[in-house]
Amino acid sequence: MEILQTSRKKLLIVLSMLCALCMCLMGTPRIVRADSGLTLSTDYPGISVKPGDTSSFTLYLLNGTDTEMNAALSAEKLPEGWEGYFRGSSSEVSSVHVFGNQTKEDSPSLNYSLTIPGETEEGDYQVVLKADAGDDGVAELPLTIHVTTEEAGQGNFTAEYPELQGDTGTSFSFDTTLVNNGSVSQSYSLSANAPEGWQVTFTPSGESSQAASIPVDAGASQGITVKVTPSEKAEQGDYTISCTAVSANETLNLDLKVTIIGTYSLGLSTSTGNLSVSAYANEEAKVTLSIQNTGNVDLNNLQLSSSASTDWNVRFDETTIDTLEAGTTKEITAYIQPSEDAIIGDYVTSITISNDQTSAQTDLRVSVKNHTTWGVAAIAIIVILVAGLAAIIRKYGRR
């Protein structure tokens, strides 16, 4: 019995070998899949999204052979509840024609749109896309989707120093950076909300022309100089300038702070506005000076000083002003005494008012003259001499 079973097994083996040999001799075709000829790819196979988002992948089909083919498109692996479809140009498609030796640049317009359910939990998920050309080739593309509740791909608008301070007349320049963290290039419109009368301009780094909008490539950044010029009437205090960069996909905000520490300014003249003074040698001439605080902050510890000709003397009834409030005026008397040997003529005497923040100066023209009584006496003497001479001529001229 055992001998019979052994013989049957040997017979079956022999028959199997004969069948295989016959098939080879008859040329029975074998199915060979040329998977290496077709490639499916995308620029960004791993992305981060939020629950409820819809993302689009740009796809490329490459063909490493001379054979043209039609490839059926499908999602080989898709998490439960997720939805996706292939889009060619503006239509949903299920297959695509692939030319021989097709490169990335030759690839037809093809995208895969993927919608993540709003209730999806955070974590990593995989989607596998497939292009099947049958015997001509099969290509698969795995995609890694990271689901997070944090902002994904959100750009930012920042300043190196977002707070600056200075006088009212100061123009403030902020060095800012605009970053596009998205997967596509974006054009951002730039605007600012500033106090009335203020001016805000945007200039791309390395350029001289101002811009109202600026393009930023995907994953790139752009430096921008934001120049803020306060109004001439701006008072002391803190001001916020809200800057905005708006694209089709996002709105980025940046708050800049300007602190006006005050405008320090002085005016110095005479009470009448007349800068000419008459004086006599070795005698004091009195001049009323008008000192005005033309800034918007109080000025403290103001000092008066003068510069005059040699041996002249200039004094003030007050040499120090402890506090001069913004917008107010104070009058001080100056006494100018020419030297004893000063000759008749015009001289310049400079008056200065100053403190650590600001100063003002005015030049007075001092005309040194002779007293009028001496002139009258001289005229009288001349008249007497002329009269005497006339009398002598009348008396002796007749003889």
Side-chain angles (χ1 to χ4, degrees):
M1 189 67 177
E2 292 180 359
I3 295 173
L4 181 59
Q5 291 179 349
T6 300
S7 298
R8 288 179 178 176
K9 290 181 179 179
K10 291 181 178 180
L11 180 61
L12 290 173
I13 292 172
V14 172
L15 291 173
S16 297
M17 294 176 63
L18 289 173
C19 289
L21 179 59
C22 291
M23 293 178 65
C24 289
L25 293 174
M26 293 174 62
T28 303
R30 291 184 300 166
I31 298 175
V32 180
R33 302 180 69 87
D35 293 345
S36 62
L38 189 64
T39 302
L40 180 62
S41 67
T42 186
D43 290 329
Y44 305 99
I47 64 170
S48 295
V49 296
K50 293 189 297 182
D53 278 357
T54 296
S55 295
S56 180
F57 297 85
T58 300
L59 303 177
Y60 307 100
L61 274 168
L62 286 67
N63 185 3
T65 71
D66 296 332
T67 305
E68 293 190 18
M69 60 188 76
N70 290 321
L73 304 172
S74 64
E76 188 72 6
K77 183 178 180 181
L78 192 65
E80 184 178 355
W82 292 34
E83 296 180 354
Y85 65 91
F86 293 90
R87 186 176 69 253
S89 186
S90 59
S91 303
E92 183 176 348
V93 297
S94 58
S95 64
V96 61
H97 183 75
V98 183
F99 291 94
N101 298 311
Q102 182 167 283
T103 64
K104 179 178 179 179
E105 290 72 20
D106 301 328
S107 182
S109 175
L110 183 63
N111 294 275
Y112 184 72
S113 181
L114 179 66
T115 301
I116 294 85
E119 65 276 8
T120 302
E121 296 182 356
E122 290 188 321
D124 292 330
Y125 298 82
Q126 190 173 62
V127 174
V128 179
L129 304 181
K130 183 178 180 181
D132 190 346
D135 294 341
D136 293 321
V138 175
E140 291 186 349
L141 173 61
L143 303 173
T144 300
I145 314 299
H146 177 68
V147 178
T148 176
T149 56
E150 297 180 358
E151 291 291 336
Q154 180 74 20
N156 55 72
F157 194 11
T158 59
E160 184 177 5
Y161 301 104
E163 298 184 11
L164 298 176
Q165 67 177 19
D167 298 343
T168 303
T170 303
S171 291
F172 301 87
S173 291
F174 295 86
D175 293 326
T176 70
T177 303
L178 179 60
V179 180
N180 176 9
N181 285 322
S183 59
V184 296
S185 298
Q186 300 187 75
S187 179
Y188 294 86
S189 296
L190 304 172
S191 61
N193 183 16
E196 184 179 357
W198 291 44
Q199 293 184 347
V200 181
T201 60
F202 301 89
T203 304
S205 298
E207 299 183 14
S208 58
S209 300
Q210 301 172 8
S213 63
I214 188 169
V216 184
D217 293 336
S221 62
Q222 173 64 55
I224 303 172
T225 298
V226 181
K227 184 178 180 181
V228 178
T229 303
S231 165
E232 294 181 356
K233 299 179 180 180
E235 298 180 353
Q236 186 177 10
D238 295 332
Y239 298 86
T240 298
I241 295 87
S242 298
C243 300
T244 306
V246 181
S247 72
N249 299 324
E250 60 187 358
T251 298
L252 307 177
N253 297 306
L254 170 62
D255 285 343
L256 302 175
K257 183 178 178 181
V258 167
T259 299
I260 301 296
I261 57 177
T263 299
Y264 301 98
S265 180
L266 276 169
L268 176 61
S269 186
T270 63
S271 59
T272 62
N274 185 4
L275 299 180
S276 296
V277 181
S278 295
Y280 302 98
N282 204 33
E283 294 185 14
E284 286 187 336
K286 184 170 68 173
V287 182
T288 302
L289 300 175
S290 177
I291 303 168
Q292 183 179 9
N293 182 349
T294 54
N296 57 14
V297 292
D298 296 348
L299 296 174
N300 300 316
N301 193 31
L302 292 167
Q303 302 290 327
L304 277 162
S305 61
S306 65
S307 175
S309 299
T310 304
D311 295 332
W312 286 42
N313 181 48
V314 180
R315 67 182 182 89
F316 307 98
D317 60 353
E318 294 182 58
T319 58
T320 301
I321 302 175
D322 293 332
T323 301
L324 185 60
E325 296 179 351
T328 62
T329 300
K330 183 177 179 62
E331 292 186 347
I332 287 180
T333 301
Y335 299 89
I336 303 173
Q337 181 180 349
S339 63
E340 185 177 0
D341 56 355
I343 62 176
I344 297 174
D346 292 336
Y347 300 79
V348 174
T349 296
S350 296
I351 307 294
T352 302
I353 180 77
S354 64
N355 69 356
D356 292 338
Q357 288 79 36
T358 185
S359 65
Q361 177 181 306
T362 189
D363 292 333
L364 300 177
R365 187 183 68 181
V366 182
S367 298
V368 176
K369 300 179 178 181
N370 283 330
H371 281 292
T372 305
T373 55
W374 289 104
V376 171
I379 293 173
I381 292 172
I382 293 172
V383 169
I384 292 172
L385 290 174
V386 171
L389 181 60
I392 292 173
I393 293 173
R394 284 197 301 270
K395 180 177 180 180
Y396 299 100
R398 296 175 182 177
R399 293 181 181 182

